Amino acid sequence: MKHLGALLLVVLVAGLWGAGSASAQAGDELVVNANFAAGGAGWTFSIASTCGNCWIDIVGDDSGPERNMLMWERTGSGASGSALAAQQRVDADVSQYESLWLILELRVIHHSLPNSGWWSDRNNGNGEYPIQVTLNFTGMDGQPFSWSSGFLANHDGSTALRNYTLVPLGQWTTQAVDLLLPAAWTDPRGFALPRPARLVDVIVGGSGWDFS
């Protein structure tokens, strides 16, 4: 599997139970047009009505020739929160998978909110991050739940959520994790999630104050 450079390249690779552990190079790829080589095909873009001076689009990637990336930006927020995103419907049975690899290539250029946001602490939210990935599932009991994680360059420690990774500002970073490992399969507060039955959709984007 070849991964092209992207501001957000989203690949989900799943391995079957009893077939040995999946790696980042083998298994069933669940996201269509994960490297945006076909532009926005398979993805739906959205910008919240409160998100002024916001945009999200497929643009050329400055890290190499003939590559695309999904890029977004928000400016002039006035320290008020909002969000934008790209979403893909997956609707895949994942009940028989023993591993679910999420592979990302990403770059945080700027963010003015220095933490995961007070609103999520008080309202059981998933956090506000310049780059965030949310996977919506249904469990074996048919109830919906989400796995969500964010990426940012700095965190001042003033908010409680744990679902973030610090990455170098302005640098391309590759992240690969098997989400079904116990250390990764947690909610934003660190509690274990239920066993997934179906992956409903994938949402990538940014939220917070100013971010790029």
Side-chain angles (χ1 to χ4, degrees):
M1 183 187 304
K2 183 179 181 182
H3 304 314
L4 300 181
L7 180 62
L8 195 57
L9 164 68
V10 186
V11 180
L12 278 168
V13 182
L16 288 172
W17 284 92
S21 296
S23 72
Q25 288 77 40
D28 302 323
E29 190 165 335
L30 302 180
V31 177
V32 176
N33 188 29
N35 61 9
F36 308 103
W43 297 91
T44 300
F45 298 165
S46 63
I47 298 176
S49 60
T50 56
C51 199
N53 298 318
C54 295
W55 62 270
I56 179 170
D57 204 356
I58 309 296
V59 300
D61 174 5
D62 58 10
S63 71
E66 299 179 357
R67 295 177 174 178
N68 286 340
M69 62 181 176
L70 175 63
M71 187 170 182
W72 55 80
E73 184 173 48
R74 185 186 188 209
T75 59
S77 67
S80 65
S82 195
L84 47 78
Q87 181 173 0
Q88 182 173 137
R89 179 80 174 178
V90 179
D91 195 23
D93 182 351
V94 295
S95 61
Q96 300 303 309
Y97 291 136
E98 68 170 357
S99 59
L100 187 63
W101 282 87
L102 176 66
I103 306 166
L104 306 170
E105 292 182 32
L106 57 95
R107 179 174 59 181
V108 174
I109 298 172
H110 167 72
H111 63 96
S112 59
L113 181 63
N115 50 55
S116 56
W118 63 265
W119 189 94
S120 288
D121 280 0
R122 298 182 187 179
N123 297 277
N124 201 36
N126 288 326
E128 298 175 73
Y129 302 107
I131 295 179
Q132 187 160 15
V133 182
T134 300
L135 310 180
N136 291 316
F137 295 90
T138 54
M140 295 299 187
D141 59 359
Q143 295 301 307
F145 70 93
S146 297
W147 179 95
S148 188
S149 186
F151 300 87
L152 68 171
N154 58 77
H155 194 296
D156 63 12
S158 65
T159 51
L161 300 192
R162 305 178 185 179
N163 63 331
Y164 64 87
T165 300
L166 295 177
V167 295
L169 189 68
Q171 297 183 25
W172 286 102
T173 302
T174 299
Q175 299 282 328
V177 61
D178 180 1
L179 301 184
L180 297 186
L181 291 176
W185 194 239
T186 61
D187 70 11
R189 287 145 194 85
F191 297 105
L193 291 169
R195 179 72 198 173
R198 298 195 72 83
L199 172 60
V200 178
D201 57 17
V202 176
I203 302 173
V204 297
S207 62
W209 299 346
D210 289 2
F211 52 82
S212 179

